[in-house]
Amino acid sequence: PGSRLTLTLPDDFHHHFRDGSQSSTVSAHASKQFGRCIAMPNLKPPVVNTEMAVAYRDRLLASMPDGADMEPLMTLYLTDRTTPEEIRKAAGTGFVKACKYYPAGATTNSDFGVTDVKKTYPALRAMEECGMVLCIHSEVTGADVDIFDREGAFIEEIMKPLVADFPTLKIVMEHISTKEAVEYILSAPPNVAATITAHHLLYNRNALLVGGIKPHYYCLPILKRETHRLALLDAVKSGSRKFFLGTDSAPHTTASKECGCGCAGVYTAHAAIELYAEAFEGAGCLEKLDDFGSRYGAEHYGLPRNERRVTLVKESWEVPKTYEFGGETVTPLRAGETVAWRIAEE
């Protein structure tokens, strides 16, 4: 206890800030540990054009606590109707860095998503030319596909043909959760990389299903069996630059999680880098966390590394049972339990 770990300030390449009064809690948590966050566009209505992205960025900047110095990097929500002109306009802002591909119906607020990948090809060609990144929720949504098999099916049906058709498009398979995805990413060309969440590194599906159903562990992609979690840990242990940090921290009100049809999403922004430190320490590769958190993602996006640092101390602390969230509450991961690392007070 008491040992210290100083890291280059990390970036989060997959973050859900939500909007309006809900954003201030999220921004306060994210800004204390990240230099930049890729802000997901799955609002109601979704962020489908440049004007909406500019306005959302302004709202996020206004939601930051005084003195915070975190940059939200914006995304457009890719639809069947996204035009090459809109892509070029978004790229021209300098802060819309990616488009998000949600298969229609895959997850929270994804009903406007892509129905057929071929319909996005004109937009993807423009993205390839502009150097914009394609972030993909990599699960098929067909009712006939088992929920535990949706990532593997997506690789075969969508990813492999897409990568063959766009050899220079920068692609991120987000929140990978299976051994198949790890193997695919390692075999894919250099323009294809992946993010891994802290919760997929720390937990398998027993956390969700044993001893009662635990809605605060329910996310998409769903937690998988232990063999897959171990494959994700092997991926980060390898030190490969193809894997980097993306929390997919996704807050929902406590009431919308603890109900008959609970929302998918795990909230980790309150302790993200600390939870990653736990996972990396448990895997015996704490020395790999710095590059995973602050180098490989920045390189994939063509961004400079952050110059600031953050120090973690090996001191456990108890996570509050809830945080205020837009007049309601959000229940964080490890609510009422402890996290082994904490950010040192400056």
Side-chain angles (χ1 to χ4, degrees):
S3 55
R4 296 169 78 85
L5 175 68
T6 297
L7 303 166
T8 304
L9 190 67
D11 298 310
D12 182 0
F13 286 95
H14 187 152
H15 207 93
H16 294 275
F17 285 93
R18 305 306 187 215
D19 203 1
S21 59
Q22 294 183 336
S23 294
S24 56
T25 295
V26 182
S27 295
H29 286 152
S31 62
K32 70 176 200 264
Q33 57 194 312
F34 294 119
R36 296 166 293 217
C37 286
I38 289 275
M40 287 293 125
N42 59 328
L43 306 180
K44 290 180 180 175
V47 179
V48 295
N49 61 42
T50 307
E51 285 78 9
M52 294 175 83
V54 169
Y56 184 35
R57 179 175 183 265
D58 289 343
R59 296 195 299 276
L60 288 180
L61 289 170
S63 77
M64 298 285 168
D66 289 344
D69 186 21
M70 191 196 76
E71 183 184 5
L73 301 176
M74 308 313 290
T75 57
L76 292 191
Y77 190 116
L78 198 63
T79 75
D80 293 350
R81 296 171 301 285
T82 307
T83 64
E85 293 72 30
E86 194 62 55
I87 294 298
R88 287 189 277 272
K89 187 176 177 184
T93 64
F95 53 73
V96 179
K97 298 294 186 184
C99 283
K100 178 69 184 249
Y101 175 124
Y102 286 109
T107 186
T108 304
N109 297 349
S110 66
D111 303 342
F112 296 85
V114 175
T115 62
D116 176 2
V117 68
K118 289 281 198 298
K119 291 182 178 175
T120 68
Y121 272 28
L124 296 183
R125 287 203 183 87
M127 288 173 63
E128 197 171 40
E129 289 161 14
C130 295
M132 198 182 274
V133 176
L134 176 65
C135 299
I136 305 184
H137 182 109
S138 312
E139 292 187 291
V140 297
T141 55
D144 54 330
V145 184
D146 187 287
I147 193 163
F148 290 98
D149 300 333
R150 291 181 170 191
E151 191 169 274
F154 189 93
I155 292 167
E156 297 304 320
E157 292 176 26
I158 309 287
M159 282 298 294
K160 287 182 177 177
L162 181 67
V163 170
D165 288 344
F166 292 92
T168 63
L169 177 65
K170 289 183 185 178
I171 297 174
V172 179
M173 250 186 104
E174 297 196 302
H175 47 50
I176 61 167
S177 64
T178 58
K179 186 169 186 280
E180 289 80 9
V182 171
E183 290 168 353
Y184 170 68
I185 291 294
L186 287 171
S187 69
N191 57 309
V192 184
T195 57
I196 305 179
T197 75
H199 49 281
H200 286 101
L201 290 171
L202 288 165
Y203 297 105
N204 63 37
R205 62 194 186 182
N206 282 6
L208 172 68
L209 298 169
V210 171
I213 194 150
K214 314 279 195 345
H216 299 292
Y217 291 89
Y218 174 58
C219 57
L220 291 171
I222 198 163
L223 295 173
K224 306 298 195 298
R225 63 168 70 236
E226 178 68 358
T227 48
H228 297 295
R229 187 183 78 89
L230 294 174
L232 296 174
L233 287 172
D234 284 342
V236 301
K237 273 197 273 195
S238 75
S240 166
R241 63 184 57 246
K242 283 177 153 269
F243 305 101
F244 52 88
L245 191 156
T247 63
D248 191 21
S249 176
H252 293 279
T253 62
T254 302
S256 67
K257 293 282 290 178
E258 298 176 2
C259 60
C261 185
C263 295
V266 172
Y267 186 65
T268 55
H270 64 295
I273 195 63
E274 299 99 308
L275 290 165
Y276 278 109
E278 260 192 45
F280 277 65
E281 184 180 38
C285 62
L286 207 46
E287 76 285 354
K288 300 283 172 67
L289 181 56
D290 198 28
D291 283 345
F292 175 85
S294 68
R295 180 180 169 196
Y296 298 148
E299 287 178 349
H300 193 71
Y301 274 78
L303 300 169
R305 279 184 92 170
N306 293 312
E307 293 180 3
R308 288 178 290 155
R309 317 280 281 170
V310 64
T311 297
L312 302 182
V313 187
K314 186 76 183 287
E315 286 176 7
S316 73
W317 56 284
E318 187 172 312
V319 176
K321 286 195 164 58
T322 60
Y323 291 101
E324 193 280 330
F325 186 56
E328 297 184 65
T329 64
V330 58
T331 300
L333 190 69
R334 296 269 178 94
E337 300 172 34
T338 58
V339 174
W341 292 83
R342 69 167 179 81
I343 294 176
E345 302 300 326
E346 289 184 5

